[in-house]
Amino acid sequence: PMLKLFSYPPLTVLAIAFGIATHAPFSILYHLNAAKLSPGLEQLEHWSRRLDHIFIHWGWAWISFGVTGNLKYFSMGAVFNAYCILQQFKHIVVPKRNQILMVLAMAINVMPMISRGDLQPFILIVSLMVFSSWLFAAYPLGPWSHAAFHLSMLPIPFIFFSCACMLPSSADHIIRAAQCAAASVPSLESEEYLNLF
């Protein structure tokens, strides 16, 4: 059976998906290059790592709209992340600064959850980020730690998607999709339903 899209997803969900999807190629590019580079300064200063960081902040900017549905909040997040992006064009890489800016960018995107009372997704995301940061910093699994770091963050986009779907600005899209889906379901007596078997 062919997948039917009854309504396009809420703009908040599309913003999160866009931010993540546009970052992914640059992350893959960096990690492919990192496999050939010497650990340390050569990796830290490589142009593909800078691109990875640029598009992480690009993604965070879009997520700031996705978790709020608010253009003013998106603008604030975009300005902050634009500042973070500009830091990647400086001649000298400062890893500590990059890490601090990354944490602040993440904080910008989870703080609205507290103001809305969405404590469970907030706690989940922060816990996953703390755990993944520990994997990244402590390297407890040796060479497998970096892969574990990425795997541990895998649920985070889905939590963001879930929060985006619960926003009041998403309600019309969700209701329209549900109504169209319900209207398209064949009745139990219809020939179309019987032909499914």
Side-chain angles (χ1 to χ4, degrees):
M2 204 166 133
L3 175 68
K4 291 182 181 179
L5 190 62
F6 298 106
S7 174
Y8 63 90
L11 291 177
T12 52
V13 172
L14 291 175
I16 294 168
F18 180 71
I20 293 168
T22 51
H23 164 244
F26 298 98
S27 180
I28 292 166
L29 176 67
Y30 165 63
H31 286 85
L32 288 173
N33 280 316
K36 301 180 288 185
L37 299 169
S38 302
L41 202 57
E42 189 180 11
Q43 275 186 5
L44 287 175
E45 294 187 342
H46 198 265
W47 60 267
S48 63
R49 181 179 172 96
R50 290 176 187 244
L51 272 176
D52 184 31
H53 277 260
I54 286 168
F55 279 90
I56 287 170
H57 286 289
W58 165 266
W60 278 126
W62 287 100
I63 291 169
S64 70
F65 175 75
V67 297
T68 62
N70 184 305
L71 287 175
K72 288 180 185 176
Y73 199 82
F74 168 67
S75 299
M76 188 266 307
V79 167
F80 174 77
N81 282 289
Y83 168 79
C84 298
I85 288 169
L86 288 174
Q87 303 312 301
Q88 297 305 312
F89 291 96
K90 292 191 172 179
H91 182 66
I92 297 173
V93 173
V94 183
K96 194 67 159 174
R97 178 187 61 212
N98 286 346
Q99 292 166 357
I100 290 168
L101 292 176
M102 202 75 68
V103 168
L104 291 174
M106 188 269 297
I108 285 171
N109 291 316
V110 296
M111 295 313 283
M113 293 176 190
I114 293 175
S115 67
R116 286 194 309 267
D118 293 340
L119 293 182
Q120 185 179 9
F122 171 81
I123 291 167
L124 278 170
I125 289 173
V126 170
S127 299
L128 287 166
M129 293 300 280
V130 167
F131 178 67
S132 64
S133 298
W134 173 75
L135 287 170
F136 186 82
Y139 250 60
L141 305 174
W144 296 101
S145 295
H146 196 83
F149 157 74
H150 283 285
L151 285 173
S152 68
M153 290 191 297
L154 202 56
I156 292 173
F158 300 100
I159 300 168
F160 280 136
F161 286 140
S162 174
C163 289
C165 287
M166 302 309 251
L167 293 171
S169 61
S170 300
D172 287 343
H173 295 278
I174 303 296
I175 291 167
R176 187 178 312 112
Q179 288 170 338
C180 291
S184 70
V185 173
S187 69
L188 293 178
E189 295 84 27
S190 74
E191 193 171 319
E192 185 182 348
Y193 176 79
L194 295 173
N195 287 338
L196 292 174
F197 301 100

